[in-house]
Amino acid sequence: MKITSIINGVEQTESNGETMAVRNPFTGELVAEMQLADEAQMEEAIENSVKAFNNTMKMMPAHERADILLRAAQLLEDKKEDFARVVAIEAGKPIKHSRAEIQRSIQVIRFSSELSKHMTGEVLPMDAALRGDQRMGMVKRVPMGVIGAITPFNFPLNLSLHKIAPAIAAGNTVIFKPAEKTPVSAYMLTKLFHEAGLPDGVLNLVLSTGKVAGSTLVPHKKVPKITFTGSLTVGKIIRDTAGFKKVTMELGSNSPNIVFEDAEIDDAVERLVNAAFGYSGQVCVSAQRIYVQEEVYDEFLMKYKEATEQLKIGDPLDEETDFGPMIDEDAAERIQEWVEEAREQGATIETGGERKGTIVYPTIITNVKKEMKVVTEEAFAPIVTVMPFRTEDEAIENTNDSIYGLQAGVFTKDISRAYRVADKLEMGGVWINEASVYRQDNYPYGGVKLSGLGREGVKYAIEEMTELKFIGVRL
Ligand code: ADP
């Protein structure tokens, strides 16, 4: 299979850019050959998106945007098994998790369709201000223009749709630059939107390297907004080169989860196995630090190890598989080095710690020091640290001792304590009796500190992809 960029509805088979192979992370087999766009093609795509914004999107009424999105949601529903298989094959995500991702993706498009009809503004009481009587003022929400959407490999469909669908709902056009590892689902998604009746040029897919996107799309004068999900390293580069334009950034974290002595231990164990090891820990809000109150530490650790060792490891396409490969061998080697480094510094590997090709076995690490890389840096891998604590204050202090602040989980039956702790955690979101990894697509999702800028979650993404415009009348 050969895949290409799609500009103005046309597949770009001619390109001076190189080609790149897309491989199945589990088998190493070739999934597709990708024709990369070069700088000139990116420029062409951006010019075309500007034209589509001025000539098409500005004129398109909200009800039409809503209908197109609804048709896209229906088409994705019809093709959900095809998409799930592609995500399993190109991203190495176990098929049952891939299916769950597609289901959420459909929902994200539906939310966007609904909200495209609710871009309301307000009428201001102008006479509240001196000289304001005999004046009328209104505030509208207006689209920004061309949105540059740069996305990662880990939820190739849903995290892309968290940008594309709200952008269309709000009346923008989009340059979609998916991750190099997962372009096949992106290519299928772009075609699906065309099939749903989205006019040419409203969604332009540009398959390029990060480098090309970084040098052309990010600083481009005609692109007023970049929305990015990915690593802190790349986020920093984008922030530096984006200049004055608006940016939304969903970056990483080393997500904490606190288990108090009164928690339902079995429930916490079950949730935290999935939170740490779901999709091999390659999730922005994966549980990486688990703080357990000392009264229940031994019980928790024993049950946690036992449950982790039950995970079925294997081919992502196998219905029974809970746990598959990492995205590539480099990622697997990197985390193996981190684990070795922790071991040399005195940590105990309770289970896992081994690697076979791209598979890194689910790894629980204890006796860690808070300066160790496995604690402080984003692992984005199937490893988790478990640490005891004595008091509530100590748990809060340790949790907040991080450059990141995306989501946390707190397990306790004491409702006062739950709220008290939630208020004190420096996080974009806190879950009580749920693990850090849980996300719904309709609440504000994003981080404080170095975990990001701005929020997604359809309504909030629409706010970030529109400008407020004031119109006043002197009567
Ligand atoms: P991940 O490890 O989750 O893939 P990255 O931050 O490496 O995260 O990549 C996320 C996205 O950012 C990918 O689409 C990648 O191609 C893109 N990217 C990488 N480098 C740059 C850059 N310098 N400028 C813009 N985009 C980039």
Side-chain angles (χ1 to χ4, degrees):
M1 181 185 195
K2 174 126 186 174
I3 58 169
T4 69
S5 300
I6 303 178
I7 303 174
N8 203 29
V10 181
E11 294 191 36
Q12 305 294 304
T13 45
E14 303 290 315
S15 163
N16 295 325
E18 294 158 26
T19 59
M20 198 184 255
V22 182
R23 293 198 176 275
N24 177 325
F26 183 71
T27 62
E29 281 163 5
L30 188 72
V31 177
E33 192 77 49
M34 159 170 64
Q35 178 73 55
L36 288 174
D38 57 9
E39 280 88 353
Q41 225 158 31
M42 180 69 88
E43 185 67 37
E44 189 191 327
I46 295 169
E47 286 299 335
N48 180 258
S49 294
V50 173
K51 226 190 271 168
F53 179 64
N54 288 324
N55 300 343
T56 307
M57 263 331 225
K58 273 188 182 170
M59 265 68 81
M60 189 188 283
H63 65 80
E64 203 173 318
R65 304 198 300 270
D67 284 348
I68 292 170
L69 287 162
L70 205 58
R71 281 199 296 273
Q74 189 53 52
L75 280 170
L76 189 53
E77 181 82 58
D78 296 345
K79 299 178 186 194
K80 62 185 175 192
E81 193 56 24
D82 295 347
F83 274 86
R85 287 185 71 81
V86 164
V87 170
I89 289 168
E90 70 175 351
K93 183 175 290 187
I95 187 77
K96 52 189 176 193
H97 300 301
S98 300
R99 288 195 188 113
E101 178 180 345
I102 311 304
Q103 217 56 58
R104 283 178 60 192
S105 304
I106 295 167
Q107 214 185 189
V108 166
I109 312 179
R110 290 216 172 103
F111 280 137
S112 302
S113 169
E114 289 158 13
L115 289 176
S116 61
K117 294 183 175 176
H118 295 274
M119 295 229 306
T120 51
E122 58 185 334
V123 177
L124 294 182
M126 295 297 283
D127 62 350
L130 293 177
R131 299 170 55 214
D133 38 342
Q134 299 308 314
R135 283 172 207 264
M136 248 180 67
M138 66 183 108
V139 181
K140 292 178 74 173
R141 260 194 191 280
V142 295
M144 297 174 89
V146 183
I147 308 285
I150 303 177
T151 58
F153 72 80
N154 61 338
F155 287 83
L157 211 68
N158 200 32
L159 293 184
S160 298
L161 280 165
H162 264 290
K163 303 180 186 311
I164 295 168
I168 293 171
N172 297 290
T173 58
V174 183
I175 298 277
F176 175 25
K177 202 314 263 176
E180 292 91 320
K181 297 280 176 196
T182 52
V184 182
S185 50
Y187 172 82
M188 286 164 60
L189 182 67
T190 307
K191 293 192 128 194
L192 180 140
F193 269 107
H194 287 143
E195 201 182 329
L198 191 71
D200 292 344
V202 174
L203 173 61
N204 282 332
L205 172 73
V206 182
L207 303 180
S208 81
T209 57
K211 196 161 153 260
V212 166
S215 63
T216 48
L217 179 63
V218 175
H220 203 285
K221 294 211 161 28
K222 292 183 181 169
V223 178
K225 163 101 194 179
I226 297 291
T227 169
F228 169 76
T229 300
S231 62
L232 173 60
T233 314
V234 173
K236 281 181 174 165
I237 299 172
I238 291 180
R239 182 88 153 114
D240 286 345
T241 42
F244 217 66
K245 71 184 57 180
K246 307 222 156 120
V247 288
T248 298
M249 303 232 152
E250 298 292 347
L251 309 175
S253 82
N254 52 353
S255 289
N257 289 265
I258 308 173
V259 180
F260 283 100
E261 42 80 25
D262 65 341
E264 284 285 353
I265 300 296
D266 293 345
D267 179 61
V269 163
E270 187 189 328
R271 312 232 131 230
L272 289 169
V273 168
N274 172 56
F277 304 118
Y279 190 40
S280 300
Q282 300 169 119
V283 181
C284 320
V285 277
S286 274
Q288 185 174 336
R289 297 178 287 152
I290 302 180
Y291 297 103
V292 186
Q293 203 153 22
E294 45 181 31
E295 291 86 334
V296 291
Y297 179 84
D298 290 340
E299 179 193 354
F300 176 87
L301 186 60
M302 187 193 71
K303 291 181 168 171
Y304 195 49
K305 247 172 82 170
E306 212 175 277
T308 299
E309 286 166 358
Q310 302 293 314
L311 289 170
K312 291 208 172 59
I313 301 172
D315 187 341
L317 283 177
D318 189 336
E319 295 291 332
E320 299 297 308
T321 297
D322 300 310
F323 183 95
M326 291 191 70
I327 191 69
D328 58 24
E329 199 141 351
D330 287 350
E333 275 171 15
R334 178 204 33 101
I335 199 63
Q336 200 185 18
E337 283 166 20
W338 288 24
V339 172
E340 279 317 310
E341 188 183 295
R343 200 197 311 251
E344 280 161 22
Q345 292 169 354
T348 308
I349 313 303
E350 299 283 347
T351 185
E354 304 296 318
R355 179 175 80 85
K356 200 153 86 192
T358 49
I359 298 224
V360 172
Y361 288 81
T363 303
I364 300 174
I365 312 174
T366 57
N367 291 318
V368 292
K369 299 192 188 75
K370 62 182 188 183
E371 310 74 38
M372 287 178 180
K373 228 186 250 172
V374 289
V375 178
T376 57
E377 292 189 26
E378 181 182 31
F380 215 59
I383 67 146
V384 65
T385 57
V386 184
M387 297 166 270
F389 72 90
R390 220 169 308 144
T391 64
E392 184 179 313
D393 285 346
E394 190 187 329
I396 293 166
E397 194 185 320
N398 289 338
T399 301
N400 287 341
D401 185 13
S402 170
I403 57 168
Y404 295 113
L406 193 48
Q407 278 201 162
V410 178
F411 292 85
T412 178
K413 287 200 206 89
D414 178 341
I415 187 130
S416 305
R417 169 156 66 192
Y419 279 115
R420 207 162 51 225
V421 173
D423 276 344
K424 288 185 183 162
L425 295 184
E426 297 161 357
M427 293 284 150
V430 177
W431 271 107
I432 295 160
N433 291 324
E434 180 54 276
S436 60
V437 81
Y438 183 80
R439 177 183 181 191
Q440 274 181 209
D441 300 294
N442 61 340
Y443 72 72
Y445 175 83
V448 299
K449 299 184 182 173
L450 297 185
S451 285
L453 288 173
R455 294 292 180 269
E456 291 193 331
V458 181
K459 173 175 173 234
Y460 307 92
I462 288 178
E463 284 173 6
E464 301 225 346
M465 293 181 188
T466 47
E467 295 279 14
L468 289 180
K469 184 172 205 170
F470 169 77
I471 300 175
V473 186
R474 186 166 64 86
L475 299 172

